[in-house]
């Protein structure tokens, strides 16, 4: 499944696609799914959390920490309709950022997915945008995102379990590596 950006409704689309894939697989069963977030710049963090919640039954999916490391918020998995049987691989590259990194690291930390590809971009900040009277805007970083195992994302990125070289020149090789990781 290719996820180009996290917009409203993408989590529902992923869940519906999973249902259709299971239906199509029939008695043979679904061998696994590749969530392809290559080049995904992020978007609605809530949608990434909903997708992670699809595959994780309990525990923290993402947390935000403010000044001094204080936990400001934790998003937790819910047991309802959790798919804990389907094998999952997240395919990422160096342009995968923000919400796509949150999805990858949540699934990786919970042991629900292998991450394949390159180290991701490393954008894990919560920002507040304030409009000014002259029409300009001021963007303030007010918190940072952390993984379920409390790993920092910002400036670090998500390290893949299976590294793939030359992804830009050989995108098919990256997909083959993801399928092999299933």
């Amino acid at each position: 499944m290719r996820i180009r950006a996290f917009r409203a409704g993408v989590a529902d689309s992923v869940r519906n696609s999973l249902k259709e894939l299971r239906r199509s697989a029939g008695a043979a069963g679904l061998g696994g799914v590749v969530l392809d977030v290559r080049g995904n710049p992020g978007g609605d963090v809530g949608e990434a959390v909903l997708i992670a919640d699809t595959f994780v039954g309990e525990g923290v999916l993402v947390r935000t920490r403010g000044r001094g490391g204080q936990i400001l918020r934790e998003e937790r998995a819910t047991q309802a309709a959790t798919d804990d049987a389907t094998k999952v691989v997240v395919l990422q590259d160096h342009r995968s950022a923000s919400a796509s990194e949150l999805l990858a690291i949540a699934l990786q930390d919970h042991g629900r997915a292998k991450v394949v590809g390159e180290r991701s971009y490393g954008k894990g900040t919560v920002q507040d945008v304030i409009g000014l009277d002259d029409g300009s805007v001021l963007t303030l970083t007010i918190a940072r995102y952390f993984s379920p195992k409390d790993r920092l994302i910002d400036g670090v990125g998500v390290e893949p379990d299976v590294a793939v070289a030359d992804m830009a020149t050989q995108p098919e090789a990256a997909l083959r590596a993801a399928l092999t990781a299933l």
Side-chain angles (χ1 to χ4, degrees):
M1 284 181 235
R2 180 96 165 111
I3 304 172
R4 296 185 191 283
F6 291 91
R7 296 187 181 101
V10 74
D12 286 337
S13 294
V14 167
R15 289 177 178 157
N16 291 335
S17 294
L18 272 172
K19 287 178 190 172
E20 183 57 36
L21 287 170
R22 280 192 210 98
R23 195 173 14 257
S24 296
L30 183 60
V33 64
V34 175
L35 301 175
D36 185 348
V37 295
R38 290 177 291 177
N40 183 319
D44 186 342
V45 169
E47 292 292 317
V49 169
L50 287 171
I51 294 169
D53 190 29
T54 300
F55 299 104
V56 177
E58 62 182 312
V60 172
L61 295 172
V62 66
R63 72 176 43 96
T64 56
R65 291 183 177 273
R67 187 175 296 269
Q70 176 187 7
I71 295 175
L72 302 177
R73 185 176 180 150
E74 287 185 336
E75 297 293 337
R76 301 187 71 80
T78 60
Q79 195 64 34
T82 299
D83 179 345
D84 55 6
T86 302
K87 293 178 183 176
V88 182
V89 167
V90 178
L91 180 58
Q92 68 178 23
D93 64 9
H94 68 279
R95 295 176 298 135
S96 303
S98 192
S100 62
E101 293 173 294
L102 296 179
L103 172 62
I105 206 163
L107 296 176
Q108 186 182 52
D109 274 9
H110 282 283
R112 281 299 288 123
K114 287 194 185 273
V115 177
V116 175
E118 300 171 327
R119 179 189 302 264
S120 63
Y121 184 77
K123 193 213 182 269
T125 57
V126 181
Q127 296 179 319
D128 193 13
V129 179
I130 301 169
L132 302 176
D133 291 338
D134 68 357
S136 60
V137 294
L138 176 64
T139 303
L140 299 173
T141 298
I142 58 172
R144 288 187 170 158
Y145 288 110
F146 286 79
S147 80
K149 291 185 176 179
D150 234 15
R151 293 190 289 158
L152 178 65
I153 300 162
D154 193 49
V156 178
V158 179
E159 187 69 35
D161 298 299
V162 178
V164 177
D166 300 324
M167 285 186 61
T169 58
Q170 298 179 350
E172 314 81 31
L175 187 54
R176 281 193 302 278
L179 293 172
T180 299
L182 278 176

